[in-house]
Amino acid sequence: MTKDKKGMSASRRQFLTGAAAVGAGAVAGTVARAAGPDPLITEVQDWANGLGHGVDEVPYGLPIEFEGDVIRRNVPWLTADPISSINFTPIHALDGTITPQGCAFERHHSGAITLKKDDYRLMINGLVDQPLVFTYADLERFPRENHVYFCECAANTGMEWAGAQLNGAQFTHGMIHNMEYTGVPLRTLLNEAGLGAAGDFTDKWVYVEGADASSNGRSIPMEKALDDVLVAFKANGEALRREHGYPVRLVVPGWEGNMWVKWLRRIEVTDHAVESREETSKYTDTLEDGTSRKWTWIMDAKSVVTSPSPQAPITHGHGPLVITGLAWSGRGAITGVDVSIDGGKTWTQARLAKPGEKMALTRFYLDTEWNGEDMLVQSRARDDSGYVQPTKAQLRETRGLNSIYHNNCIQTWHVKTNGEAENVEVS
Amino acid sequence: VAQEGKFGLGRPALPEEVAAWDLDIAPDGRNLPVGSGDVWTGDEVFAENCAVCHGDFAEGAGNWPKLAGGQDTLDRDDPLKTVGSYWPYLSTTFDYVRRSMPFGNAQSLSDDEVYAITAYILYSNDLVDEDFVLSNETFMDVEMPNANGFIVDDRETAEAHFWTDTPCMENCKDEVKITMKATVLDVTPDEVGEDE
């Protein structure tokens, strides 16, 4: 990438405007006075005079053009090819917890395939009493459940193991989305095929694979399969998007995103883990001594401040400041988030927008005052298993630098006196 | 009529259907199809179907995955993880190549071609001699160097100290210094995207 190619982006211009506003001297605790009447108020505006769009204009809408910054982005140098690759959710610009599907991240191994409901088939075979084939229409006739869960790529934050590398929460933490899923519990489908032949479940597995060329086959222990795994066909109220597995995907609450097999075509009950490519070559975590952890399924408690952050600088000058972010845990519900503005010397409990829900994103806020001082902003999540989000140094002590996956370290943003923020590491 | 607790939905899968989709191979070699392929045939098939991305000697081309090399690098700063240096089971190589390779033309290889390619990858990793013939009979004779290189997730014991009732809230450090900055690397794409 060349320097001149970067140019001056929209948000950079916004940032400079904001910095000028700080210089103009809004003083904390003082309500700024208007220099004169505001023409946006005193003059009749077009939108108050003419007509807007009719209801027949947009049968299915996209965000208004002024939100053109809230999009998925990719990092071309991360992968050899954009087909087996990743892009990132613009978490720096979102609020609340539900991820809009249209900008929710994608990770494919052989591209986002087009699979019609009419062409869809789901097979259950292996150690079942009766191997079965379901059509999409069959799946809609089983009793359904609704749940909100996060899907976090195992590699989220993986580029940051060795140091501060990418400058923005979207890039460091955006391999995640959080949706309300509608679907059928996997246990209902397994029961339909009959698990008598499987006998004792303690050493049994299900192997799940997709209809795409990569197949993305993964082994899941029977205990999890019978617990909360969902065969989902709706997300955030509507059908899954093509890139998220249309028409059917697996939802594996709390577990690494790779196991959320998209375009799900087959579920096999086995008496062994298949040890497929995606659980041997990939999604295994190499430790300092050269041995590697396998089957690191759970995503540990994690959080990130989404604003202020490198892509969301402070542009409003001194005074009231909302520090906000996301926290989540694959081990259960978030019970609290602590925020530091001095790089972890002191911590303050943030306010959770709602009580944490199991294996779902939780929004936190710290309503504070900013007087233009340098800040080293951090957040630290806690969950109901008692787990406290560690620092990167703590993770490196147990894992070294080559784990690739499962980096749930505390993130630091350096917010400078002009409101700009940068991804840094601190001692 | 549905059985107890069942809905009577779906229909029995036919043996041909299960055979078409159930291709996964167990680490102990169960489910391997009958067939065979030797190193030299593998060299030819690899040159035709694989070398454009993975190199003539499976050493990798450009950014594409390296399939050979990297022995004894796993505890180094920049480990090279290949079939030879990292993968614990040969079953995974056969299974993955047969189902998902070549990239963009998956499931186009015959079982014998997959045996031959797998034999060639083993040869490229110095794990078999040039006259080796891989078959469903000889499959389990191959020793993978990193077969014992994996442990089951041990976070709950190795990282037990991350579970604590008393995270520090005040005076947690004397001093905080910035030790690394992302802007020094300057590898983040432009906000408005690469294409602009």
Side-chain angles (χ1 to χ4, degrees), chain A residues 91-94 168-170 172-173 302-312 321-328 337-341 347 350 363-366 375-380 389 409-413 415 421:
Chain A
I91 55 168
H92 64 290
L94 302 176
Q170 176 170 22
T172 57
H173 291 75
K302 186 167 174 179
S303 67
V304 65
V305 170
T306 52
S307 179
S309 67
Q311 296 159 288
L321 170 69
V322 174
I323 296 177
T324 186
L326 292 165
W328 62 95
V337 178
D338 307 317
V339 170
S340 174
I341 59 167
W347 296 88
R363 172 64 57 176
F364 67 86
Y365 297 103
L366 183 69
M375 295 189 287
L376 292 168
V377 177
Q378 299 182 331
S379 61
R380 182 178 68 190
Q389 185 184 0
C409 72
I410 289 171
Q411 172 67 44
T412 309
W413 305 127
V415 179

Side-chain angles (χ1 to χ4, degrees), chain A residues 120-156:
Chain A
Y120 180 77
R121 298 290 184 272
L122 176 62
M123 182 183 291
I124 299 188
N125 74 305
L127 298 172
V128 292
D129 303 335
Q130 173 62 64
L132 291 175
V133 172
F134 298 108
T135 62
Y136 180 83
D138 291 334
L139 295 182
E140 284 200 332
R141 297 172 68 190
F142 286 100
R144 294 172 214 165
E145 293 184 6
N146 285 261
H147 299 279
V148 177
Y149 296 122
F150 73 81
C151 172
E152 183 185 18
C153 180
N156 199 21

Side-chain angles (χ1 to χ4, degrees), chain B residues 118-152:
Chain B
T118 306
Y120 182 68
I121 293 171
L122 290 171
Y123 173 73
S124 298
N125 277 288
D126 301 320
L127 297 176
V128 296
D129 295 328
E130 61 183 19
D131 58 357
F132 180 71
V133 181
L134 184 68
S135 71
N136 53 304
E137 305 276 322
T138 63
F139 203 86
M140 295 310 294
D141 297 343
V142 180
E143 287 180 36
M144 299 297 279
N146 200 40
N148 297 315
F150 294 81
I151 58 169
V152 175

